[in-house]
Amino acid sequence: SYKPRTTMIEDSHALAIAEMLLRRFKYALGIFEPINLSDARGYFGKDASYHSSLKDMARWSDVLFISNKDDAFDALPKLVAHNTGKKIIVDPWGMFDRDEFPPHVIYHALGRTAL
C-alpha cells in the first residue's frame, strides 16, 4: 500500500517500483503486504511470490525495499539478524539506524546513505 494501515495500492510508488523491477529488470519479486495482499496478488498474479509474514519475506529475500512506514516493519532488524546470508535493505523512510543491523546487512536509508 502507499500508506500504513490502508488497503489502497492505487498510485503507490512501491507498486511502480515493483513493476519496474519485475518487468524491466527481470528480478524475482516477492511481496509482503500486511493488510492487502489479495490486491497485490490481483495486480501481479503468478509473476510474483507472496509472503504472509515479514519473517518469511526476510528469509526469502536478498534485497528488501520498505514501501511505507507501517509498524509491521519494526521487527525487521531482529528478523535479518538471525539470518547469516547477506541482505540489502533499502529504506526510503529512514525508519532505522545502521547500528540496529548486524554487519552482514547493508542498510541504505535514502537521504542518509549513498546507494
Side-chain angles (χ1 to χ4, degrees), residues 23-82:
R23 311 261 186 249
R24 184 174 176 195
F25 296 108
K26 309 297 184 205
Y27 283 101
L29 182 65
I31 297 172
F32 165 69
E33 169 55 51
I35 295 177
N36 194 16
L37 196 56
S38 63
D39 277 0
R41 255 191 198 101
Y43 190 85
F44 290 105
K46 294 179 181 179
D47 292 336
S49 65
Y50 303 93
H51 304 269
S52 58
S53 75
L54 183 60
K55 181 179 181 180
D56 184 44
M57 185 79 231
R59 192 174 35 236
W60 181 86
S61 301
D62 296 325
V63 178
L64 294 129
F65 177 84
I66 300 172
S67 61
N68 65 49
K69 291 178 78 168
D70 197 292
D71 296 343
F73 296 110
D74 290 349
L76 192 57
K78 288 181 183 176
L79 292 174
V80 296
H82 299 301

